[in-house]
Amino acid sequence: MAILNDATTGRLPFSLAGETALITGGGTGIGLAIAQCLALAGARVVLTGRREEPLRRAVAEIGSAAGYVVHDVTVLDQAPLLVRQVEEHYGPVSILVNNAGIHLKKPALQTTETEFLEVFQTHILGAHALIRAVAPGMIERRQGSILFVASMASLFGIPQVIAYTAAKSACVGMVRGLATELSPLGVRVNAIAPGWIETEMSRQAMRGDPAREQKILSRTPLGRFGEPADIGWAAVYLCSSAGRFVTGVVLPVDGGVSIGF
Ligand code: NDP
């Protein structure tokens, strides 16, 4: 690659022109910001989620580069149909962002098996089903980028979120395992581990718990909560050819919280 242009495509290294990105949970919060940033970098973006209204609003906000499909990642056998639909309308998927997620704040000993499984079904099995549907095409084209949204709970212990912590830690294992299997076939696999980012999910988790909020801020060297776009721009880097030698990493985008004292 020349310093300024990708020698094979003639694009600037951070450009995503010609790419199609499928972003689960793309209608709100971090997923929406990732979609906005990828679209600003030139990608077509297709957002999924269970509720149609947020998806409709998100697409109206992003503009003609965006589309949506209502899809629940926990309905695993629908993954191939989703990918087929998206590829028919928008072209081959070259970027998959496994962002859809649910939170569960509960003491470990009160967390039930059903709750545990629900969190795993969303974060892990849902992501795996989509990867199985999308990766064969990426491998055939020898071009693809798969991105997970991990968490600080992937990196250190946080009380009251045991199922979420287990699922987000499993994300890291998937990134490493998949990166070793798929990278030789042309598909990079990475994760972003966001710090505490202002979204509906973090607002709910923090509600009525000012001590937790203070603790987070006190150990964040940059001294603030993150904005969803802070994650979006990191996604552009990891999915574009600027990040072409990066695979198997879990990149903290966290204002320094993972190294804060
Ligand atoms: P939001 O609640 O705004 O986003 C979650 C998104 O996931 C929603 O759009 C939701 O849409 C979608 N979703 C949930 N379940 C499913 C499902 N079964 N199928 C399809 N879509 C689903 O929160 P965030 O933006 O904060 O969270 C996004 C990701 O970032 C999650 O993986 C979360 O764990 C992670 N994260 C967030 C942090 C934060 O501080 N905010 C920190 C670290 C990680 P719908 O309900 O319509 O299905």
Side-chain angles (χ1 to χ4, degrees), residues 29-43:
I30 290 174
L32 171 56
I34 291 175
Q36 285 168 319
C37 293
L38 297 187
L40 282 168

Side-chain angles (χ1 to χ4, degrees), residues 24-32 34 48-55 70-75 98-103 118 121-123 149-153 164 168 171 192-203 206 225-226 228 231:
T24 66
T28 65
I30 290 174
L32 171 56
I34 291 175
T48 71
R50 293 164 300 180
R51 293 164 298 153
E52 185 161 15
E53 198 38 44
L55 294 169
V70 174
H71 171 77
D72 182 340
V73 295
T74 66
V75 186
N98 289 310
N99 163 80
I102 53 171
H103 198 258
E118 194 190 350
Q121 182 93 353
T122 306
H123 291 266
V149 179
S151 163
M152 290 298 104
Y164 185 79
K168 290 301 195 187
C171 273
I192 295 171
W196 277 267
I197 309 296
E198 299 238 27
T199 68
E200 190 46 38
M201 183 184 286
S202 59
R203 274 190 287 276
M206 224 87 77
F225 289 94
I231 307 307

Side-chain angles (χ1 to χ4, degrees), residues 19-20 22 79-80 83-84 86-88 91-96 128-146 182 185-188:
E19 310 273 345
T20 298
L22 176 59
V83 172
R84 240 191 347 267
V86 169
E87 296 202 325
E88 268 168 30
V93 174
S94 53
I95 297 170
L96 169 66
H128 182 236
L130 280 172
I131 290 167
R132 289 203 311 172
V134 98
M138 291 178 169
I139 291 167
E140 204 177 302
R141 297 182 292 276
R142 290 197 71 79
Q143 191 215 344
S145 180
I146 296 173
L182 301 185
L185 306 173
V187 180
R188 295 184 298 110

Side-chain angles (χ1 to χ4, degrees), residues 145-151 154-155 168 171-180 183 187-194 234-235 237-239 243-253:
S145 180
I146 296 173
L147 188 63
F148 282 81
V149 179
S151 163
S154 312
L155 308 182
K168 290 301 195 187
C171 273
V172 172
M174 284 183 76
V175 166
R176 293 187 180 135
L178 286 164
T180 60
S183 301
V187 180
R188 295 184 298 110
V189 187
N190 292 294
I192 295 171
Y237 165 65
L238 287 171
C239 296
R244 68 181 187 156
F245 200 49
V246 183
T247 195
V249 308
V250 180
L251 175 68
V253 180

